[in-house]
Amino acid sequence: MKNSLRLSTASTMLVRILFAAVAAFPIVFMLVSSLKPDTQIFGDMSSVAAFLPVGNISIDNYAAVFDRVPAARFLVNSIGISAVTVVLGIFVNSLCAFALSRMEVRGKRVVFTVILATLIVPFQTLALPLVWWVNQLPYFELNGFSLEISKGWLDTYQVQIIPFIANAFSIYLYHQYFESIPKELDEAARIDGAGWFKIYRQVVMPLAGPATATVAILTFLPAWNSYLWPLMVVQSEELRPVMIGIQYFFQLNVSWGEVMAYASLITVPVVVLFIAFQRSFINSIASSGVKG
Amino acid sequence: MTTSPLPTRPRPAVKTASHPVPAAPRRRAGFLREQISGWGMISPAAILLLLFVFLPAILGFGLAFTNARLISPRPVEFVGADNFARLFADPTFWRALLNVTYFAVVVVPVQSALALAMALLINKKFRGVNFFRTIYFLPVVTSMVVVSLLWLFMYRKDGLINELLSTFSFGLIQGADWLNDPATAMPAIIALSIWQAAGFHMIIWLAGLQSISGELYEAAQLDGASRWHQFRYVTWPGLKHTRSLVLVTITIQALGLFDQVSVMTQGGPLDSTTTIIYEAVRSGFKQQETSYASAISLVFFVLVLLISAVQRYLTREKD
């Protein structure tokens, strides 16, 4: 009995390791190849060396990437766009969820239902009319002391940020989380003379850390990884985000070492960020009511 | 003084029967203040959703019946169902529909089963559980564009996949030219898509697994239930709601297949990997035919609605 139990734990562990190997091998291959010259990448492919940083290792590919692509500019753009989207997204969506879950607002049920209904509209079906629509929106520009109004958001930073701030799924996550915080806290704060915004800022939000971590990651990932949208709405090189940089490698006689270096360069920041927050992220998404 | 014929505040006067007099006006002011601040807090998100989800959705619906182009000097005209007539007469559209169906029919069961297996493997606490959770989730944080580029390289005739196949089969299996063969291009895209997204659905399964009470397992163990029976009679019924959520999200994501195709095959070879969204983007963006693309998007949206309705019906509460 005990022996068979030990065997089953050992075999479970073996299966776990097998799954981990399948999940990780392409990423390890990418990171390792980014350090090798092209000839060696192909030479190592038929052996375990494909996954090991052995042989002629250097960061030459990375240096070459910065020559071929304005990678620094793209990275700065992506960091800025993602950070602003995350911060504004956390604020706007949590504020909305706060009113919907903790205040007695007339008509809030209808509003919540309508917000949830937007979840079934896939972004891909919105993208094309959205391009047409943002091109009709006014654009305010402060030129010295005079405010200039022109038409069309195409080729700007805000077109990459503002449409993605409000998000029904984030509102839903915050709503579920706020429901689990006792309402007595609000009442106590109100008796002490606190206004609603003060309750939001000083009572509820400090307790909603796990929900905020989840919303932050779920907003950050699509912002950092966005490809289709900037491809359609951003033409100027100095406004483009990192994923578009990949287009610079779609040409004949591509150096795969450089491709792998660029791919690693835009993946590693996300992975590092994810590992730093992974405990709070996976635990919170697993407990914050993604339960259907 | 006491004979004033009309009370100045009729409503609070009635309520004084059960409440202290000064409380009433204060509560009413509080009610009003709550409405104003409540709507003030809701409106930023509500206005943004209105502007960037509802309006484009309605706009897309309308544009599908016009001849609008992205940049065009001609005024936009109503053309009725012309776009749809053209769409349904287009063999590429039917091929795209077939491809997406093929993709979904394979991806939905295989990916949800693998994701559940992964969730079961890391559900219990053991040494290194966080390590495995991180590794399983790693493909999800890697962008689909990067993943596609990476697999594009691995799928080459002389690429890593074929080398691995050859090594593990001791030279017996000679791999295909995966992405350049109409027979293998879609299966290749299916494999990488499952690899990339299984981790995300693992998390949803994990949420469901953790909502099942541990007492149920203890009771089952006391009754001497085997691990398979525990899964069959405790875990599986306990995942009822999670199941429908996972199925709906995977199906909708499968129908929206785009990034992989755009980076790896551009719909080829011989339209064997083209998809509905790829066709919509191709006509709307590359050929600037906003109206035709909107018609495709509308068909896609109706399809998504239909499928989620059918799935909701099939997984409804039967009791």
Side-chain angles (χ1 to χ4, degrees):
Chain A
M1 176 68 198
K2 203 157 189 198
N3 260 336
S4 79
L5 198 71
R6 203 171 295 151
L7 190 71
S8 88
T9 10
S11 60
T12 310
M13 201 39 123
L14 214 65
V15 178
R16 281 183 189 131
I17 293 168
L18 192 78
F19 269 86
V22 173
F25 88 91
I27 295 165
V28 174
F29 175 66
M30 171 183 84
L31 292 172
V32 168
S33 301
S34 74
L35 300 167
K36 296 175 181 173
D38 276 19
T39 46
Q40 206 198 325
I41 296 176
F42 285 100
D44 285 352
M45 209 112 81
S46 55
S47 72
V48 74
F51 304 106
L52 296 173
V54 289
N56 198 354
I57 297 299
S58 75
I59 56 163
D60 289 355
N61 289 327
Y62 288 87
V65 155
F66 279 88
D67 285 338
R68 187 191 287 267
V69 183
R73 180 74 202 211
F74 290 172
L75 280 167
V76 168
N77 286 342
S78 272
I79 291 168
I81 291 164
S82 313
V84 174
T85 313
V86 168
V87 170
L88 291 178
I90 287 172
F91 179 63
V92 164
N93 294 315
S94 65
L95 203 62
C96 177
F98 175 82
L100 291 175
S101 89
R102 302 184 79 82
M103 296 173 69
E104 292 306 324
V105 183
R106 286 277 168 88
K108 68 174 184 177
R109 281 223 180 82
V110 180
V111 175
F112 192 49
T113 313
V114 173
I115 287 176
L116 288 187
T118 65
L119 279 173
I120 58 162
V121 186
F123 176 71
Q124 295 98 322
T125 66
L126 288 181
L128 288 160
L130 195 56
V131 173
W132 191 86
W133 169 231
V134 293
N135 200 28
Q136 316 299 317
L137 288 174
Y139 178 65
F140 303 95
E141 203 169 16
L142 207 57
N143 197 348
F145 287 102
S146 66
L147 188 71
E148 288 184 0
I149 302 172
S150 44
K151 203 181 84 168
W153 277 17
L154 294 188
D155 223 18
T156 59
Y157 281 121
Q158 80 256 28
V159 78
Q160 304 181 65
I161 297 172
I162 294 173
F164 305 101
I165 293 170
N167 182 293
F169 192 64
S170 302
I171 295 172
Y172 173 73
L173 276 177
Y174 267 119
H175 185 272
Q176 297 302 95
Y177 200 84
F178 288 162
E179 291 282 303
S180 71
I181 300 172
K183 294 242 165 51
E184 285 77 15
L185 289 174
D186 300 7
E187 280 161 31
R190 286 192 67 71
I191 289 167
D192 289 346
W196 285 107
F197 190 73
K198 200 170 181 184
I199 297 174
Y200 159 80
R201 200 165 53 90
Q202 294 188 342
V203 179
V204 177
M205 276 310 270
L207 293 171
T212 301
T214 311
V215 168
I217 294 188
L218 290 183
T219 313
F220 175 80
L221 278 182
W224 184 270
N225 291 342
S226 67
Y227 177 69
L228 171 61
W229 183 249
L231 207 59
M232 294 195 288
V233 297
V234 187
Q235 264 84 48
S236 313
E237 197 168 77
E238 67 268 22
L239 297 172
R240 293 189 142 175
V242 286
M243 289 305 149
I244 301 301
I246 280 184
Q247 289 234 317
Y248 289 66
F249 297 96
F250 292 159
Q251 44 189 274
L252 291 173
N253 297 325
V254 68
S255 155
W256 282 100
E258 287 178 30
V259 174
M260 295 299 143
Y262 189 72
S264 305
L265 198 67
I266 61 182
T267 304
V268 167
V270 191
V271 172
V272 169
L273 210 68
F274 169 66
I275 289 173
F277 290 108
Q278 81 86 19
R279 197 169 304 204
S280 69
F281 170 61
I282 291 184
N283 292 341
S284 68
I285 200 169
S287 60
S288 59
V290 195
K291 282 165 194 161
Chain B
M1 285 296 192
T2 50
T3 55
S4 169
L6 288 168
T8 41
R9 289 175 195 272
R11 282 230 245 134
V14 177
K15 282 192 174 175
T16 46
S18 54
H19 292 287
V21 186
R26 234 181 70 195
R27 280 171 80 249
R28 227 166 62 159
F31 173 78
L32 201 67
R33 212 175 297 138
E34 188 163 352
Q35 300 308 305
I36 293 169
S37 31
W39 278 103
M41 288 170 156
I42 291 171
S43 48
I47 290 170
L48 286 170
L49 285 175
L50 196 75
L51 277 180
F52 298 109
V53 180
F54 279 99
L55 253 158
I58 294 163
L59 208 63
F61 189 88
L63 286 173
F65 299 93
T66 67
N67 62 356
R69 299 179 71 88
L70 192 60
I71 299 152
S72 164
R74 277 190 309 166
V76 176
E77 281 167 22
F78 179 80
V79 296
D82 282 9
N83 288 316
F84 295 93
R86 196 182 130 199
L87 183 62
F88 293 134
D90 180 1
T92 316
F93 167 75
W94 291 106
R95 185 64 216 241
L97 199 63
L98 188 75
N99 289 338
V100 167
T101 311
Y102 172 26
F103 183 84
V105 164
V106 180
V107 165
V108 171
V110 175
Q111 184 176 316
S112 48
L114 278 174
L116 177 59
M118 282 153 69
L120 287 168
L121 283 171
I122 55 163
N123 184 31
K124 297 220 173 66
K125 285 257 183 300
F126 63 94
R127 271 187 63 185
V129 62
N130 279 322
F131 169 77
F132 283 103
R133 284 181 179 184
T134 310
I135 297 288
Y136 290 177
F137 204 71
L138 215 50
V140 183
V141 298
T142 313
S143 125
M144 189 46 103
V145 175
V146 168
V147 166
S148 306
L149 199 67
L150 184 55
W151 284 70
L152 181 69
F153 183 48
M154 300 202 306
Y155 274 138
R156 286 161 60 110
K157 188 96 180 72
D158 57 352
L160 186 69
I161 299 286
N162 284 342
E163 295 292 344
L164 286 177
L165 279 175
S166 163
T167 308
F168 279 107
S169 67
F170 303 104
L172 280 176
I173 301 177
Q174 292 299 316
D177 191 0
W178 300 98
L179 294 171
N180 289 319
D181 183 340
T184 53
M186 189 51 104
I189 288 181
I190 287 175
L192 97 99
S193 307
I194 292 174
W195 175 82
Q196 197 265 350
F200 186 76
H201 294 100
M202 170 194 81
I203 298 286
I204 304 181
W205 283 122
L206 200 60
L209 287 175
Q210 297 195 336
S211 70
I212 301 172
S213 155
E215 288 165 23
L216 289 173
Y217 288 103
E218 283 167 28
Q221 269 163 0
L222 281 179
D223 290 345
S226 68
R227 281 174 81 172
W228 165 246
H229 275 117
Q230 285 180 39
F231 177 79
R232 176 72 188 79
Y233 295 107
V234 179
T235 313
W236 190 245
L239 290 173
K240 198 167 65 184
H241 295 290
T242 318
R243 220 150 55 210
S244 49
L245 181 71
V246 170
L247 284 183
V248 171
T249 53
I250 296 186
T251 311
I252 294 178
Q253 279 168 12
L255 294 175
L257 177 63
F258 171 78
D259 285 1
Q260 299 93 305
V261 171
S262 165
V263 175
M264 298 173 81
T265 62
Q266 285 88 50
L270 300 173
D271 285 342
S272 63
T273 59
T274 195
T275 71
I276 303 175
I277 297 298
Y278 187 76
E279 285 306 311
V281 172
R282 183 153 69 185
S283 45
F285 175 53
K286 294 211 176 103
Q287 290 150 22
Q288 308 225 331
E289 294 183 294
T290 310
S291 59
Y292 189 61
S294 297
I296 303 181
S297 297
L298 189 59
V299 171
F300 175 78
F301 181 61
V302 170
L303 211 66
V304 167
L305 267 189
L306 266 175
I307 286 173
S308 24
V310 167
Q311 280 188 337
R312 240 161 221 279
Y313 177 76
L314 291 177
T315 55
R316 71 195 185 280
E317 310 268 332
K318 286 189 178 97
D319 30 46

